Amino acid sequence: MTGNHNVHPAISRTGPLPPTEQRNAASYHLDTLDSLGVVELMNREEQRALDAVGEASGQLATVAQRVADCVQAGGRVVLLGAGTSGRLALQEVAELPPTFGLSPEIFHVLAAGSAAMGPAVITNTEDDTEAAPTALAAQGIGPADVVIGLAASGTTPFVRSGIKAATQLGSWTCGIANNPGTPLLTDGNYGVLLDTGPEVLTGSTRLKAGTAQKLALNRITTAAMVVGGRVIENHMLDVTGSNAKLRLRALRIVSDVTGWDDSRVRTTLEQNAWSVRAALKGAGRAG
C-alpha cells in the first residue's frame, strides 16, 4: 500500500479542502485492488451521484421550468463549462436538435479547456475571466435568455465570470456545483448543489461529480422539453425521418399513438415529409 494514510482528508497546507479535492476514506486502499475490486468500489461510490441528483430534484425542476419558459418565448439557453463540465455540456446540447426538433440556435455552449472540444471552445484556460463575458456580450445575451454555469469546484474563474456577466445583462442565471457553500452557487440568480463528496481517485471530478452533472443536465433538458410540449405520451413528438433509423422510429411513434395499421402510418408520414408532429396533427393528436 502506498501513500501516507495518516493525513486527514480535509486538511492541506493551505487549510481545509473542498469535498471534491478531499481524499475518500473508502478508497485509501485503491492501489491494492485488482480490476474487479476497483470496479466494485466505484459501483458502490457511484450511488452518491444518484443520491445527490435526487436531493436536488426540486431545484432541477425549477431550472427546467425556466428553460422551458425561455425556449417557448423564443429565448436562448447558454451552458458554460470548463474541462469535463464543458464537454458534458457539449454532449448534452449536441443531442437536443435531433431529439426534439430544435433549431441549433436555441441551445449554445461556451467552454474552456486545454483539449479540443469543437467550435464551442472560446478559450484554452479555465482561468480566463474575460472570455465568457466577451462572448456573451457578442451574442447579445440578455433578459430573454437563460445562462447556466457548471463547475464541480464552484470556483472556476471562466464559469463564475460568465454567470456574473450574464446576470448583469439581465439573463436568468444558475450555477451548478458539487461543493457546498462554493461561490458559483450564489453568483447568479439560482444555485443547484450536487453534493457528491470526495472522489474514488482524489480530485478526479470526471467521476462522481461529472456523472451527477450529466444526470442533472439530462433532467433539466428533458423535463423542459416535456413541459414545453415536445413529447407525446412517452415519445419524441418532433422527430423527422431524415434517415432509415429515424424513419423506423417515426413509424413506431405514429403507430403507437394512433393505433393505425402500417400502411396508413407510412402513407401519412410520406404525405407529411416524415414529420411525426405533422402526421399526428392531421390525426388530431398533436398541436
Side-chain angles (χ1 to χ4, degrees):
M1 189 179 298
T2 59
N4 180 1
H5 295 177
N6 294 319
V7 176
H8 191 284
I11 300 297
S12 75
R13 290 182 180 180
T14 57
L17 289 170
T20 56
E21 293 297 325
Q22 292 175 17
R23 296 180 66 194
N24 188 330
S27 63
Y28 279 167
H29 64 305
L30 181 63
D31 60 345
T32 71
L33 299 177
D34 61 14
S35 57
L36 178 60
V38 173
V39 169
E40 290 179 338
L41 173 59
M42 292 182 70
N43 288 345
R44 293 192 294 273
E45 285 292 309
E46 206 74 12
Q47 182 61 45
R48 183 59 214 158
L50 286 169
D51 291 343
V53 173
E55 290 161 6
S57 292
Q59 292 94 325
L60 294 173
T62 295
V63 180
Q65 188 63 59
R66 285 281 185 168
V67 170
D69 293 343
C70 171
V71 172
Q72 287 179 294
R76 293 164 293 173
V77 180
V78 180
L79 302 183
L80 300 171
T84 294
S85 297
R87 293 177 180 87
L88 291 171
L90 279 166
Q91 181 184 21
E92 187 72 20
V93 167
E95 294 298 327
L96 297 179
T99 303
F100 297 109
L102 293 171
S103 164
E105 299 303 314
I106 296 175
F107 281 83
H108 298 256
V109 176
L110 298 179
S114 58
M117 290 189 286
V121 177
I122 60 169
T123 181
N124 287 328
T125 172
E126 65 180 46
D127 294 326
D128 191 330
T129 59
E130 300 296 328
T134 299
L136 290 166
Q139 290 184 0
I141 295 300
D145 307 311
V146 165
V147 179
I148 299 170
L150 301 105
S153 66
T155 60
T156 305
F158 171 83
V159 178
R160 290 193 63 200
S161 64
I163 288 296
K164 289 178 180 179
T167 304
Q168 292 176 350
L169 291 168
S171 300
W172 188 84
T173 53
C174 173
I176 299 177
N178 298 82
N179 285 325
T182 201
L184 181 60
L185 297 175
T186 55
D187 282 333
N189 301 119
Y190 202 69
V192 178
L193 171 64
L194 303 174
D195 190 1
T196 46
E199 299 287 359
V200 167
L201 180 63
T202 307
S204 184
T205 52
R206 67 188 178 86
L207 300 177
K208 287 189 295 185
T211 296
Q213 287 182 12
K214 183 61 171 72
L215 293 173
L217 289 174
N218 287 164
R219 283 149 179 72
I220 291 168
T221 58
T222 304
M225 296 300 101
V226 171
V227 300
R230 293 181 178 270
V231 171
I232 186 164
E233 296 181 358
N234 61 348
H235 280 303
M236 306 171 193
L237 181 55
D238 289 295
V239 170
T240 297
S242 56
N243 59 41
K245 180 185 76 173
L246 292 179
R247 283 193 289 275
L248 286 173
R249 182 176 295 166
L251 288 166
R252 289 194 299 270
I253 293 170
V254 175
S255 177
D256 284 350
V257 173
T258 64
W260 293 343
D261 61 49
D262 292 349
S263 176
R264 184 178 179 185
V265 169
R266 179 176 291 275
T267 298
T268 302
L269 280 166
E270 289 174 344
Q271 291 172 343
N272 287 279
W274 287 91
S275 165
V276 168
R277 181 181 286 274
L280 291 177
K281 183 176 182 179
R285 291 301 311 273

